[in-house]
Amino acid sequence: MKTKNIKNIFIFSVLITFLFSCNEDYLEITPKGTSLEETYYQNADEAYSALIAAYDIMSFNSSSWDNMISFMNAGSDDNYGASAPGDAISLFSYNLLTPTNMPRGFWSNHYQGIFRANTLLQKLPNVPMDENLKLRFEGECKAMRAYYHFNLVRLFGNIPLMTSTISPVEAQTYPQSSKEEVYAQIEKDLLEAIELLPISINTATEGGRWTKGAAKAMLGKVYVYDNKLPEAAAQLAEVNGTPGGTSQYGYRLLDNFKDLWVHSNKFNSESILEDVHTEAGRADWSGLGFGTEGNILNIMVGIRDYTRTANSTAPDYFSGWGVNTVTQNLYDVLKDDPRFDATIIDVKALIASGQVIGYSFVNEASTNTGYFMAKFVPLKSDATTLGGDPTLNFYQDTYIIRLADTYLLEAEALGGTGARAQALLDAVRARVGLPSVPVSLEAIALERRKELACEGHRWFDLVRTGKASTVLASRGFIAGKNEVLPIPEKELENSVIVQNPGY
């Protein structure tokens, strides 16, 4: 499949130097044959390349080994970790992360995105280009800056708040801000972005870019985390429209839940904001490694050495690395739910029925449940035929935010009571053929777990609702410590950043 969107554009210049990896000697070197940061941004094309560079960090949702979805799944009660007990993803499953083994990307990648957005915001006023286009770029940069800060504050708590570019020397004394200050800036950025972003886009050429609806949805979600529930309900109501219908932004629940996970079903009516991937990158292991435009999550969660019998009618899955096996607990929660088959692959049942010979497993024995993530395990037919290593070039987009998520967030923001909250919950259930149940915060939380299983939301939901210390007690979760992650040790060097309590 070929899709013209932000992932298909070749970024033709190196735009940004890493904020925390510069030194004075490097800064004094004059590169030859490249555009200097000081002399770049001379026209709309160069500004657009800088914009795409800022967007590129959004692919961290599912494009590297340390990606948001697989990592956050591992910390929840729905999934386990990675391919070896000592891997950071597996350590997070049991709350054994420390400043020395915490993957740096969760900190540094988000700050790279913030730095790129800030740099373009600083340069935009002087770029000779159409003023309306300039305003749109400004809105996109502010939306991305808000999103990157939102991930950081949810992961690490008190963080440095970056609203402008700073020098490496200034970074050494740049302080952390309180969560309250960070949330205030996130909300300000999104409110300003909403005024500047387009209502709709042509997904054939601009799929994956921020829109007014996406920024409103993100703002509503941010308000929920900031406990501003009336404000959250108001923003999300505009995004959601009439429950079960089509909203003013064109959003509508898909009729078939399983269609959400078809790799080619990009930018569908339920998708509000996607992490975009392409099979056309032709990446291989000769230097690109995980730095690809493909979805690495697909191969990570694939079933190791999955082998069908000769006449099997079981799905022909592409073998993978066995990350994020599904827990028995989630299996039990979903076993009688219509979403089960689209969420969980029961390999044990396939073996018992003679459809599959077997599979291999290298994780610790306690995580070998035999259950895998159907939403992201790829089929052989999903592998690229365009060249490069197929393991690095899967093209499934992943949802950063989708309509069922915002339905349930609005119902929660309404206090889990009233006719509209009931209608929102009913719409999510009716889509999969389930009857109405009385609305309540407990019913909404359970529905979120079933609907959004394995999509990276569960750990955040448990932490923000205060349930993590109880639900994750068997995983070693300690109240007052594990609500945030350790700041990677390298990020504390030559800085005034203070490590999170307990680490």
Side-chain angles (χ1 to χ4, degrees):
M1 187 193 78
K2 295 182 180 179
T3 302
K4 293 182 180 178
N5 52 48
I6 62 173
K7 284 291 180 185
N8 299 100
I9 298 164
F10 178 67
I11 301 172
F12 52 85
S13 295
V14 177
L15 303 176
I16 305 298
T17 54
F18 292 162
L19 177 59
F20 296 112
S21 62
C22 298
N23 58 55
E24 292 182 5
D25 290 337
Y26 175 81
L27 293 173
E28 290 173 359
I29 295 173
T30 302
K32 296 181 179 180
T34 63
S35 297
L36 288 172
E37 192 273 335
E38 292 83 356
T39 59
Y40 206 70
Y41 315 96
Q42 298 300 304
N43 52 52
D45 287 342
E46 291 184 354
Y48 183 60
S49 291
L51 180 71
I52 299 305
Y55 264 107
D56 197 53
I57 303 300
M58 288 177 60
S59 69
F60 189 60
N61 202 52
S62 51
S63 70
S64 67
W65 177 263
D66 296 322
N67 64 74
M68 288 290 291
I69 291 178
S70 64
F71 197 79
M72 302 321 297
N73 281 344
S76 77
D77 56 334
D78 287 351
N79 300 93
Y80 290 109
S83 57
D87 188 282
I89 301 177
S90 292
L91 293 175
F92 185 34
S93 280
Y94 298 100
N95 289 285
L96 296 174
L97 290 172
T98 68
T100 56
N101 61 37
M102 175 68 202
R104 290 185 68 186
F106 290 92
W107 181 278
S108 61
N109 283 355
H110 287 109
Y111 275 113
Q112 286 175 34
I114 291 167
F115 181 63
R116 294 176 185 187
N118 282 339
T119 300
L120 182 52
L121 284 170
Q122 177 183 314
K123 300 290 185 178
L124 267 177
N126 297 319
V127 179
M129 58 186 288
D130 178 80
E131 289 300 316
N132 288 328
L133 185 60
K134 188 181 294 188
L135 290 173
R136 180 183 176 184
F137 283 16
E138 178 185 342
E140 290 175 280
C141 284
K142 287 184 176 179
M144 284 186 281
R145 183 170 71 183
Y147 171 63
Y148 297 143
H149 274 121
F150 182 46
N151 279 347
L152 283 163
V153 74
R154 290 192 296 167
L155 290 168
F156 298 106
N158 297 336
I159 58 168
L161 176 61
M162 299 283 187
T163 56
S164 63
T165 58
I166 63 172
S167 70
V169 173
E170 291 172 317
Q172 295 176 12
T173 57
Y174 200 89
Q176 289 154 288
S177 296
S178 68
K179 289 189 289 186
E180 292 76 16
E181 291 171 317
V182 176
Y183 272 109
Q185 182 61 47
I186 292 171
E187 292 156 15
K188 180 176 182 294
D189 274 346
L190 287 171
L191 285 166
E192 292 176 358
I194 288 167
E195 298 301 314
L196 301 173
L197 292 168
I199 292 176
S200 62
I201 58 175
N202 181 349
T203 57
T205 57
E206 297 184 326
R209 293 177 69 173
W210 284 83
T211 61
K212 195 179 296 290
K216 276 186 168 289
M218 190 60 66
L219 178 59
K221 189 164 192 168
V222 168
Y223 278 145
V224 170
Y225 277 76
D226 199 19
N227 201 32
K228 295 180 177 178
L229 301 184
E231 294 90 336
Q235 290 292 333
L236 293 169
E238 292 191 32
V239 173
N240 295 332
T242 302
T246 301
S247 79
Q248 63 179 315
Y249 299 110
Y251 304 135
R252 185 179 183 278
L253 294 177
L254 292 183
D255 293 333
N256 187 348
F257 179 78
K258 198 166 187 176
D259 287 347
L260 285 162
W261 318 110
V262 175
H263 286 213
S264 60
N265 199 13
K266 297 170 180 279
F267 315 124
N268 58 68
S269 65
E270 189 166 338
S271 175
I272 297 175
L273 186 65
E274 294 184 15
D275 167 17
V276 182
H277 296 287
T278 176
E279 65 176 341
R282 295 178 171 82
D284 58 33
W285 294 102
S286 62
L288 288 176
F290 290 117
T292 78
E293 301 301 332
N295 182 339
I296 302 299
L297 176 68
N298 287 154
I299 195 65
M300 288 176 66
V301 303
I303 307 159
R304 281 185 180 269
D305 300 321
Y306 174 84
T307 306
R308 300 190 304 166
T309 54
N311 298 312
S312 176
T313 58
D316 196 8
Y317 293 116
F318 194 104
S319 292
W321 301 338
V323 173
N324 280 165
T325 50
V326 172
T327 64
Q328 185 66 49
N329 184 267
L330 180 61
Y331 178 97
D332 292 341
V333 167
L334 275 169
K335 63 183 179 182
D336 297 320
D337 191 278
R339 289 162 288 202
F340 179 91
D341 287 340
T343 305
I344 298 175
I345 303 168
D346 187 345
V347 179
K348 292 193 298 184
L350 291 173
I351 293 172
S353 66
Q355 296 291 308
V356 171
I357 295 172
Y359 69 103
S360 67
F361 199 80
V362 299
N363 293 42
E364 52 198 297
S366 63
T367 69
N368 184 9
T369 61
Y371 311 134
F372 295 84
M373 292 167 43
K375 291 179 178 179
F376 302 114
V377 171
L379 296 166
K380 286 184 179 177
S381 59
D382 294 321
T384 183
T385 59
L386 300 179
D389 192 309
T391 63
L392 299 176
N393 292 282
F394 285 103
Y395 61 94
Q396 182 185 21
D397 291 359
T398 55
Y399 303 106
I400 292 173
I401 190 165
R402 63 182 177 91
L403 194 60
D405 183 10
T406 59
Y407 270 30
L408 295 172
L409 283 173
E410 185 191 345
E412 181 182 332
L414 290 167
T417 186
R420 182 165 174 86
Q422 182 71 65
L424 289 159
L425 176 61
D426 286 350
V428 174
R429 293 176 58 81
R431 186 257 295 275
V432 294
L434 289 172
S436 175
V437 296
V439 70
S440 66
L441 290 176
E442 292 74 19
I444 294 165
L446 179 59
E447 203 64 34
R448 282 188 65 80
R449 187 180 187 191
K450 293 178 178 180
E451 173 73 22
L452 303 171
C454 306
E455 296 179 51
H457 298 282
R458 175 67 172 170
W459 184 86
F460 289 118
D461 283 351
L462 291 173
V463 168
R464 70 180 175 80
T465 58
K467 299 175 183 176
S469 60
T470 299
V471 173
L472 300 176
S474 64
R475 297 281 194 99
F477 191 101
I478 300 172
K481 173 185 176 181
N482 295 125
E483 290 85 357
V484 292
L485 304 182
I487 298 172
E489 186 173 58
K490 283 288 185 182
E491 307 302 338
L492 305 181
E493 295 178 0
N494 300 315
S495 78
V496 294
I497 297 172
V498 177
Q499 183 59 264
N500 284 322
Y503 293 107

